[in-house]
Amino acid sequence: MTKSTVYFTDFHVPYGGRSLPEKLEFLLKKAGMETIDFKNKFVAIKMHFGEAGNLAYLRPNYAKVVVDLVKACGGKPFLTDCNTLYVGSRKEALEHLDTAYTNGFNPFCTGCHVIIADGLKGTDEAYLPVRGGELVKEAKVGRAIADADIIISLSHFKGHESAGFGGALKNIGMGGGSRAGKMEQHSNSKVKVNQEDCVGCGKCAGICAHDVPVIENGKSYIDAERCVGCGRCLGLCPTDAITPLEWGSVISLNKKMAEYTAAIVDGKPHFHISLIVDVSPYCDCHKENDIPIVPDIGMLASFDPVALDQACADLVNKAEPMPGSELYKNLQKDPEGTCGHDHFHNTTPKSEWKTCLAHAEKLGVGTREYELVRV
């Protein structure tokens, strides 16, 4: 496979020079985003709106640049994400929209609407085939993302406690999964009921196509042997009493993220943007964010999400650790590093990221071989 081209610009802005939004627009044009046929097409701009309380998420100003360029090319853009698996400020669409609007992702700031792709309770999903999938044969994807004609990922490149980092592949694969899709990626998909939290409402029994949940003595009971792992009961449980029976390994998580990404972009034009800024050690899904593990590096864009993630990872690994950061403190304790020169693993030693890129490459999503072009 030939090398993919990844375009890069740093965050330096000389006095009287281009602003950062102008630099991003220039980068996108140089990377060829305008060559996509956007005319009258629905364009899903997949991004993360940030958990309530988190301040490391991308500023909406960057989203507006992407929106304006899509509109200028005749497209119909919308910002989108799916509801979360865990309890927080984005587990259902109304709270999710409140959080997005509070953080500046609203039509007044970005120029387009926000659509929560998997609907009110995270159950509005489409089933997309995974060609060549080893662990997933059918991805459960937010319907608005599945219905879009074009996929654009706008990612905040940062650390992650399980996946090592969150970049384009995680933004699309994990982020594009419905609540049941997220559960499938994180676990073996079968569920259990925490009896203390269950109120016996019976909604899980009402949604189950296999009559697995049984209500006895005011509580729901789920037979793991009969559960098929569809995950639809998760979205309807009002007290979040239903949880995965067993969490999966980071290796299976990475493979499933790659397979979900492959299903979402399969057969559609797609383009990918990542900003290496405020590189917090953990995901923007956290309500808190620690100081960045490295200084701000730059903005990157490519038609290849695998090459883009690899380029971002390489740039971060070449950067000096930020004094006082989680990475810096870990390296002070272990100067040789727990896994060689790998800033992500040395920040969160239980994480792993290379499997996702290797598996996505195997599935034909892209290549890890790239040429970095500075603009």
Side-chain angles (χ1 to χ4, degrees), residues 202-243:
K203 291 184 178 180
C204 55
I207 194 66
C208 183
H210 305 277
D211 299 321
V212 175
V214 175
I215 310 299
E216 294 180 355
N217 301 319
K219 299 288 183 179
S220 173
Y221 296 86
I222 293 177
D223 184 349
E225 293 298 321
R226 295 176 57 218
C227 175
V228 299
C230 70
R232 294 188 68 81
C233 55
L234 276 172
L236 292 184
C237 182
T239 60
D240 294 299
I242 301 175
T243 60

Side-chain angles (χ1 to χ4, degrees), residues 69-106:
L69 188 54
V70 171
K71 283 184 171 181
C73 294
K76 300 177 180 180
F78 61 96
L79 302 180
T80 192
D81 198 4
C82 289
N83 292 304
T84 58
L85 179 61
Y86 59 86
V87 179
S89 68
R90 298 178 301 117
K91 69 176 287 290
E92 44 91 347
L94 298 184
E95 288 185 351
H96 203 155
L97 285 170
D98 283 343
T99 300
Y101 294 160
T102 298
N103 288 346
F105 297 97
N106 56 67

Side-chain angles (χ1 to χ4, degrees), residues 169-202:
L169 294 174
K170 185 175 184 299
N171 182 22
I172 303 167
M174 180 60 71
S178 65
R179 293 196 81 203
K182 288 179 172 65
M183 187 186 76
E184 179 175 45
Q185 293 177 70
H186 278 293
S187 71
N188 65 0
S189 295
K190 293 179 181 291
V191 298
K192 63 181 179 181
V193 180
N194 294 325
Q195 298 298 308
E196 291 183 1
D197 298 326
C198 179
V199 295
C201 66

